[in-house]
Amino acid sequence: MSSDALSGPPGRWRAFTRAISPRIVECELTHLARTPIDLAIAGVQHAEYVRALVALGCSVQEVEPAPDYPDSVFIEDVAVVFDEIAVITRPGAESRRGETAAVERVLAPLRPLAHITAPGTLDGGDVFVVGKRVFAGRTGRTNDEGIAQLRAALAGHGYTVEAVAVTGCLHLKSAVTTVDDQTVLVNPQWIDQATLSGLDVIEVDPTEPMGANIVRVGAALLYGASYPRTRARLEALGYSPVCVDASELAKAEGAVTCCSLLLRA
Ligand code: GLY
């Protein structure tokens, strides 16, 4: 196995993370203008993020670094892991396709694997799961063929896959993520909420469009510190997210979910 145990006792949740590439300044950008990224600050924020995952009960392992891949810290995009199977993606950005091999190696002992193959593309950031309902964003990174292959990989495990049109942001999970088994946090500007039928919706504060991305570790939540108004909405509803500053990585169009691959141990 090519990962190093970083911290944390074996627990119910396992998280894989990946160090920030020194080339992150060359990252892909889709909806953001390029602004300078301070590598030292990004590193401190990433370390704090890992500590928060540990504090929330994750056993965290760092996958071998991929310094030649500017976006490799955003490990969420290269696999989607279910209890029954892990799907190795074919990232929509060609520059990211070499990120999958090392992640495949660490997942192979843990789950049967399926693969998205050409001409399909799929980014893990375009997939979220509520029970047996899987939502897959149709974006610049994920195409219909990728969604069809995901559906085929999951069909034998009782999941349904619903395609969701996304506009105005990079990934589906920029626009919507889950906060519990029944509830999603949403930026209504970026998706058609009709696709979320049957789920309870919490909308981000309109002044915090990037605030729909939150990490769920069982009942615990890990959230970016840049969205205090949306956080207040969550707290008013009884949620208590732990917050970390991920503002430097946000300049690379990454958010909190992007920086880990979470699976039930
Ligand atoms: N910079 C994050 C991505 O484009 O995947």
Side-chain angles (χ1 to χ4, degrees), residues 19-29 32-43 66-74 95 248-253:
I20 299 169
S21 162
R23 290 180 55 188
I24 191 169
V25 293
E26 301 165 50
C27 68
E28 296 282 342
L29 289 175
L32 290 185
R34 198 170 294 282
T35 52
I37 296 174
D38 186 313
L39 263 178
I41 295 173
D68 290 337
Y69 291 92
D71 283 298
S72 51
V73 64
F74 302 127
S95 68
E248 209 60 26
L249 288 165
K251 296 177 183 173
E253 222 167 347

Side-chain angles (χ1 to χ4, degrees), residues 168-226:
C169 60
L170 175 58
H171 284 132
L172 176 63
K173 289 174 82 170
S174 318
V176 51
T177 50
T178 58
V179 295
D180 62 30
D181 287 338
Q182 177 58 32
T183 313
V184 285
L185 179 62
V186 175
N187 177 338
Q189 302 301 314
W190 290 341
I191 56 159
D192 176 3
Q193 290 201 56
T195 57
L196 304 174
S197 63
L199 298 174
D200 298 332
V201 168
I202 303 169
E203 292 190 6
V204 296
D205 185 278
T207 63
E208 297 174 346
M210 303 295 284
N213 186 271
I214 193 164
V215 175
R216 183 178 168 211
V217 183
L221 297 170
L222 176 58
Y223 192 44
S226 302

